Amino acid sequence: MFCVRSLSSRIFQKNRNVCKTFTYNNKRFLRKISLCGQYDFDLLVIGGGSGGLACAKEASSFGKQVVVLDFVIPSEKGTTWGIGGTCVNVGCIPKKLMHQASLLGESIQEARSYGWNIPDPISFNWESLVEAVQNHIKSVNWVTRVQLRDKKIEYVNGHGVFEDAHTVIAKMKNGKERRITAKDIVIAVGGRPRYPDFPGCKEYCITSDDLFSMPTSPGNTLVIGAGYIGLECAGFLKGLGYEATVMVRSMLLRGFDRGMVDLVQAEMEHKGVNFLFGKIPVKVSKQPNGKLLVEWKGGDEIGQGEFDTVLVATGRKALSEELNPSAAGLQVHPESFKFITNAEQTNIPNIYAVGDVLHERPELTPVAIQAGKLLAGRLYNGIQEQMDYDNVATTVFSPLEYGCVGLTEEEAINRYTENGIEVYHAYYKPTEFFIPQKNVKHCYLKVITLLEAPQKVLGMHFIGPQAGEVIQGYAAAIKAGLTYQHLKDTVGIHPTVSEEFTRVAITKRSGDDPTPQSCCS
C-alpha cells in the first residue's frame, strides 16, 4: 500500500494534498488522503446531532477530511426526520416552539386586562401549529446540509455499525452497504425514548419522537413519566387547551432541587394539569370508540381511565448497542450502556464519544456541542482545554419556567453540611403579573452559598417567566467565581425579574418571611 510517510520530508511537504479517486454509486470522487493514505478519512463522526456536527465542522476548519454518518431508525409509530439530531427535530426546538404557542394563548387572554379588544371566543388550531413547527425544522435540516457541503464534509445517510476500531459499515435504506475507514472516530448517536414493558405500550402509545408531528390534535392526553420532558409536554398541551394528566411513579424531576420542584408541581396543578401519584401503568387497550383505556396500579389500588393519546416519557436509552461496539473492542457501562470516557476518549484510543452516550454526563445539547468543539480542537489544533461538566445551567420549560445552575440545596448540604452553607431566598412579584392578576405565589428564587465569607455561590435557582434567559447570565458569573457579595454589589435593572437575584437578602436560617412587601423597596 502506498504510504505518504515513505516519502522523504521534502517530498511529503509537496504532496500534503495528494489525492486519490474512488467510485461510489457509479460516481467518481476525488479525495485528499489522510496522513498515511491508509484511511478514507481523518475523522468519521457517527451521528448527525448537535454534538457530532459541532465536532465535524470544527475538525473540517482545521483542514481535516471528515465524513458524517446519520440515520434515523423509525419510531414505533413510523416517525422519521432529517439531519440535526434530537434537539432540532424532536427535542429542544419543537418543544420550545410549542411552549411558546402555549404562552401566547395565555398572553392573548391577559391582553384584555391591558386594554386590547380580543374577540371572544378565541380558538386554536393544532394542525396549523404542527405545520409551522415542521416547516421550521425542515428549514434547519436544509441549512445543515448546506453547511456540510460548504465545509466539504461528506454526509452519508446510513446506519453505522463497527467492523473494527477504524472501520464502520454504513447500511443504507436501499440495503446497500458502504465500508468506511477513518483514523479517528467520534460516536455521537445520542439516545431515543425508552418504552416501558406493559401490554399495549408499543402498539398504542406515542413518545416525544411522535408528538411534534402528529397530524391530528392529541386531545385528552395521559403523560406517563414525570421527568422534564413529560412535564414540559403536559404543560404546553394544557396551555393549548387539551386536558393533560401526568402519571408519576415516585417523584417529579428527579435530580433537581426538591423545594423548587414542589413549586413547579403546585403551579402546574394551579394551571389545571392533573397528577396521578404512586401509579404505574399495567395495560393500554383500544376501545371501540377509538379511545385508549389505560389501566394502572398503585400499592393495593387499581384504577383506569380513558384518554385520546398516551405519551410515554419514562427516560431515554443510549443508542450504543446499535453500533455493535464489541466489534471495535469498545466497553460500555453494564447498566446505562453508555461509554465511560476520559476527556471524551473511550477505552479504544482512536475512538471518542460526546453527548448523551456518555455515562453520568448532562444530557443537554449545549454540553454536546461544547464537548465536540473542544475535542476537535485537542485532536487537530493542539489546544489543551477540556470540557467542564460542572455548573452547567439548564431550564425546565414548564408553564412557569424553572432555571438552575450549580448545586441543589440537597447536594450542597450533603457536600458541605447544613452548617456549612447559607441559603438566601425570596418570593417576588413580576410587574407584568399585576394587571391581569396572575398568580404570583410560586414565583421564587434562591441562592445557595458557602457560609464562610466571601460566600462563594454554589447554586442559583429561579422559578418565573423567562427563567432560561435569567439563569444564563448568572451561569457565566458562577463560572467566573461569583460570590454573594458580588450579587449585593450589583445594581439591578428595574423592573425586571432577574434583578431579584441582586436584592435577595433573607436567609432560610433566619426564619424571616421572604415575601416582598412592595416592588420597589
Side-chain angles (χ1 to χ4, degrees):
M1 179 180 292
F2 170 76
C3 181
V4 174
R5 285 185 187 140
S6 65
L7 302 176
S8 68
S9 177
R10 180 176 60 81
I11 297 176
F12 173 68
Q13 291 300 324
K14 288 184 177 180
N15 288 276
R16 276 190 183 275
N17 295 324
V18 169
C19 296
K20 65 179 180 180
T21 58
F22 71 98
T23 301
Y24 177 65
N25 279 356
N26 297 320
K27 294 181 180 179
R28 291 187 65 77
F29 293 86
L30 191 67
R31 177 183 299 143
K32 183 167 57 180
I33 62 174
S34 58
L35 290 179
C36 193
Q38 65 191 93
Y39 305 116
D40 299 325
F41 295 90
D42 297 303
L43 175 65
L44 163 62
V45 176
I46 309 176
S50 303
L53 291 174
C55 185
K57 288 186 280 189
E58 193 78 353
S60 176
S61 72
F62 301 135
K64 299 302 173 181
Q65 297 301 299
V66 183
V67 60
V68 173
L69 251 67
D70 186 60
F71 187 83
V72 179
I73 299 173
S75 73
E76 293 293 331
K77 296 297 180 184
T79 308
T80 60
W81 51 86
I83 192 168
T86 297
C87 177
V88 165
N89 294 283
V90 290
C92 318
I93 300 304
K95 176 269 302 287
K96 181 69 181 292
L97 293 174
M98 290 197 170
H99 173 64
Q100 176 65 11
S102 170
L103 295 180
L104 285 172
E106 189 174 350
S107 296
I108 291 171
Q109 299 287 359
E110 294 167 11
R112 293 189 173 102
S113 302
Y114 281 96
W116 286 95
N117 296 316
I118 307 294
D120 199 11
I122 61 172
S123 62
F124 166 75
N125 185 276
W126 170 266
E127 290 78 8
S128 296
L129 173 61
V130 168
E131 182 180 7
V133 168
Q134 291 303 313
N135 284 343
H136 173 71
I137 290 171
K138 287 180 174 62
S139 72
V140 177
N141 297 150
W142 170 253
V143 169
T144 301
R145 291 287 298 271
V146 170
Q147 285 181 332
L148 293 181
R149 183 193 65 198
D150 291 347
K151 293 180 179 295
K152 297 180 174 53
I153 297 172
E154 187 170 341
Y155 167 64
V156 177
N157 185 206
H159 180 227
V161 178
F162 278 103
E163 181 178 274
D164 58 46
H166 289 279
T167 309
V168 170
I169 304 300
K171 299 183 177 181
M172 313 297 180
K173 277 185 181 180
N174 59 10
K176 293 183 179 180
E177 295 184 352
R178 176 178 169 187
R179 189 172 182 271
I180 303 173
T181 63
K183 179 176 180 291
D184 299 312
I185 297 175
V186 171
I187 300 169
V189 292
R192 296 288 289 274
R194 187 189 306 274
Y195 276 92
D197 185 18
F198 60 85
C201 182
K202 289 187 176 181
E203 291 86 347
Y204 302 117
C205 298
I206 67 168
T207 70
S208 55
D209 281 356
D210 312 296
L211 177 62
F212 305 111
S213 58
M214 283 184 66
T216 56
S217 67
N220 182 8
T221 302
L222 172 67
V223 178
I224 301 174
Y228 71 92
I229 294 174
L231 294 191
E232 289 173 337
C233 292
F236 71 66
L237 287 174
K238 181 60 183 177
L240 295 175
Y242 307 110
E243 288 301 308
T245 302
V246 179
M247 183 178 289
V248 188
R249 183 184 61 181
S250 56
M251 66 172 65
L252 274 65
L253 295 174
R254 184 183 302 276
F256 288 85
D257 188 281
R258 301 324 302 166
M260 306 303 285
V261 171
D262 289 343
L263 291 174
V264 170
Q265 175 191 329
E267 178 64 21
M268 291 187 70
E269 289 176 327
H270 175 75
K271 290 284 176 64
V273 176
N274 303 308
F275 287 90
L276 294 170
F277 286 99
K279 305 293 191 293
I280 58 172
V282 295
K283 184 180 180 181
V284 175
S285 56
K286 194 160 190 176
Q287 302 302 291
N289 62 2
K291 302 276 189 180
L292 297 177
L293 179 67
V294 182
E295 302 173 44
W296 61 76
K297 66 178 182 179
D300 296 328
E301 296 182 13
I302 296 177
Q304 63 180 28
E306 280 191 349
F307 302 89
D308 298 307
T309 299
V310 179
L311 171 67
V312 173
T314 53
R316 299 174 67 82
K317 70 173 265 193
L319 294 177
S320 52
E321 293 178 281
E322 283 79 355
L323 301 174
N324 189 27
S326 59
L330 288 163
Q331 298 172 359
V332 295
H333 189 274
E335 296 177 2
S336 69
F337 298 103
K338 297 185 176 185
F339 298 100
I340 301 173
T341 60
N342 179 17
E344 290 74 55
Q345 187 179 49
T346 68
N347 63 296
I348 303 300
N350 71 294
I351 302 179
Y352 305 82
V354 297
D356 295 1
V357 290
L358 296 189
H359 182 63
E360 294 186 338
R361 296 301 191 193
E363 296 183 7
L364 298 168
T365 295
V367 170
I369 292 172
Q370 181 81 336
K373 286 182 177 179
L374 292 176
L375 173 60
R378 291 197 305 276
L379 288 175
Y380 307 122
N381 199 38
I383 72 165
Q384 301 300 316
E385 186 179 356
Q386 302 286 339
M387 177 63 193
D388 182 0
Y389 289 99
D390 293 330
N391 293 325
V392 174
T394 191
T395 293
V396 180
F397 290 97
S398 43
L400 193 62
E401 298 171 7
Y402 166 32
C404 59
V405 60
L407 300 183
T408 66
E409 189 172 342
E410 293 79 18
E411 289 169 337
I413 291 172
N414 187 52
R415 191 175 301 186
Y416 299 102
T417 77
E418 196 162 3
N419 292 325
I421 67 168
E422 194 74 275
V423 179
Y424 295 88
H425 68 146
Y427 288 93
Y428 64 96
K429 300 176 180 179
T431 305
E432 56 269 36
F433 281 25
F434 290 160
I435 289 179
Q437 298 183 33
K438 291 182 66 174
N439 178 40
V440 298
K441 66 185 295 186
H442 304 131
C443 293
Y444 176 78
L445 60 87
K446 66 181 172 184
V447 180
I448 305 162
T449 75
L450 288 174
L451 182 63
E452 182 180 329
Q455 294 191 288
K456 180 182 178 181
V457 175
L458 303 173
M460 300 180 75
H461 300 260
F462 178 91
I463 290 180
Q466 301 296 323
E469 310 297 336
V470 169
I471 213 69
Q472 180 67 80
Y474 290 108
I478 285 184
K479 287 282 189 183
L482 180 67
T483 67
Y484 177 66
Q485 188 62 45
H486 288 141
L487 285 177
K488 285 180 63 177
D489 292 342
T490 300
V491 177
I493 301 171
H494 186 68
T496 65
V497 292
S498 185
E499 75 169 320
E500 301 297 337
F501 273 125
T502 71
R503 309 197 308 177
V504 64
I506 295 173
T507 66
K508 278 192 172 184
R509 193 187 307 275
S510 72
D512 292 342
D513 184 4
T515 305
Q517 300 305 307
S518 72
C519 71
C520 300
S521 65

